[in-house]
């Protein structure tokens, strides 16, 4: 039998999937831009806590709060506690806790970048796709669980009035992570079919 151009081992799609490749390249660029913006924002927030910039970083309602104002003299909102009013060990702990909170989001974005890069290469049903999807699913579960740990840490450090704070987005992330694990099984099945077909041809 004749093997058509583009049906390479590892799940490469036929040449007719140029639209998928173009969209993959577009989404790859967008995801890279979002990743760079999120990483820069995260680094800035962590540095504000580490260097105790009290006018712009602090705690409010049991969570982190960052004030961005164009005016020099602006009153802080009610309940805002500047990070400079805490002890150095507390502000250092807060920076570490914030880093832990931001890691799952960065992992999700990096996984999406990898997926879009593969799509741009017309690679869909591959072992690499399975691994990236599993990484994203675990990161979504972590996104739901990590805030429970960080809120408890801030509470015992005397920086939050509540030990447990559950938000709807955490439940959404947990459900989405579970659904993604189920979708990974579909991709794994497709990968097996592609490998069998590649061996047959």
């Amino acid at each position: 039998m004749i093997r058509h151009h583009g049906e390479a081992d590892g799940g490469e799609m036929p040449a007719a999937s140029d639209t998928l490749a173009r969209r993959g390249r577009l989404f790859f660029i967008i995801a890279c831009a979002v990743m760079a913006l999120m990483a820069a924002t995260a680094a800035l927030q962590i540095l504000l806590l580490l260097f105790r910039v009290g006018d712009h970083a602090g705690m409010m309602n049991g969570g982190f709060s960052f004030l961005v104002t164009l005016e020099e003299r602006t009153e802080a909102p009610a309940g805002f506690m500047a990070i400079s009013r805490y002890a150095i060990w507390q502000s250092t702990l807060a920076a570490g806790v914030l880093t832990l909170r931001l890691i799952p989001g960065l992992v999700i974005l990096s996984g999406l970048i990898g997926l879009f890069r593969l799509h741009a290469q017309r690679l869909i049903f591959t072992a690499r796709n399975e691994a990236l999807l599993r990484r994203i699913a675990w990161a979504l579960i972590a996104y739901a669980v990590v805030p429970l740990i960080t809120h408890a840490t801030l509470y015992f450090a005397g920086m939050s009035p509540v030990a447990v704070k559950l938000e709807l987005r955490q439940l959404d992330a947990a459900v989405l992570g579970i659904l993604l694990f189920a979708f990974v099984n579909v991709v794994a099945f497709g990968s097996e079919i592609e490998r069998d077909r590649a061996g047959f041809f």
Side-chain angles (χ1 to χ4, degrees):
M1 299 185 70
I2 299 175
R3 187 171 187 169
H4 297 287
H5 175 68
E7 293 185 355
D9 295 345
E12 187 174 353
M13 300 297 290
S17 61
D18 287 342
T19 301
L20 175 64
R22 286 195 299 270
R23 289 178 180 175
R25 287 191 292 268
L26 175 61
F27 292 150
F28 171 76
I29 294 172
I30 294 174
C32 285
V34 174
M35 178 77 169
L37 179 61
M38 182 177 176
T41 303
L44 177 61
Q45 291 176 340
I46 294 169
L47 289 174
L48 288 175
L49 292 175
L50 281 176
F51 288 100
R52 301 166 58 82
V53 184
D55 293 338
H56 298 283
M59 307 293 297
M60 186 170 67
N61 299 327
F64 299 102
S65 181
F66 299 91
L67 305 180
V68 180
T69 59
L70 298 178
E71 300 177 4
E72 293 183 1
R73 294 183 179 179
T74 303
E75 292 186 2
F80 177 81
M81 176 76 80
I83 194 66
S84 57
R85 298 179 62 180
Y86 292 98
I88 294 178
W89 71 268
Q90 289 176 309
S91 60
T92 304
L93 176 65
V97 167
L98 180 59
T99 302
L100 184 62
R101 285 280 299 270
L102 294 172
I103 287 176
L106 293 174
V107 172
I108 292 171
L109 277 175
S110 66
L112 289 175
I113 289 174
L115 284 176
F116 295 143
R117 181 188 291 118
L118 291 176
H119 292 174
Q121 299 171 358
R122 302 186 183 92
L123 298 172
I124 305 300
F125 296 108
T126 66
R128 180 61 178 161
N129 266 301
E130 295 176 45
L132 288 171
L133 286 172
R134 284 195 177 91
R135 182 189 301 174
I136 294 173
W138 280 117
L140 285 167
I141 299 298
Y143 184 87
V145 173
V146 166
L148 298 177
I149 301 173
T150 57
H151 276 298
T153 302
L154 292 173
Y155 173 78
F156 288 112
M159 302 181 71
S160 173
V162 293
V164 178
K165 187 177 180 181
L166 186 62
E167 299 179 0
L168 183 60
R169 61 181 179 178
Q170 293 173 245
L171 297 177
D172 293 339
V175 172
L176 186 57
I178 294 171
L179 292 176
L180 192 56
F181 274 121
F183 180 71
V184 170
N185 293 330
V186 177
V187 176
F189 183 70
S191 300
E192 186 176 350
I193 292 176
E194 286 290 339
R195 286 191 292 269
D196 291 343
R197 188 176 67 174
F200 177 76
F201 285 107

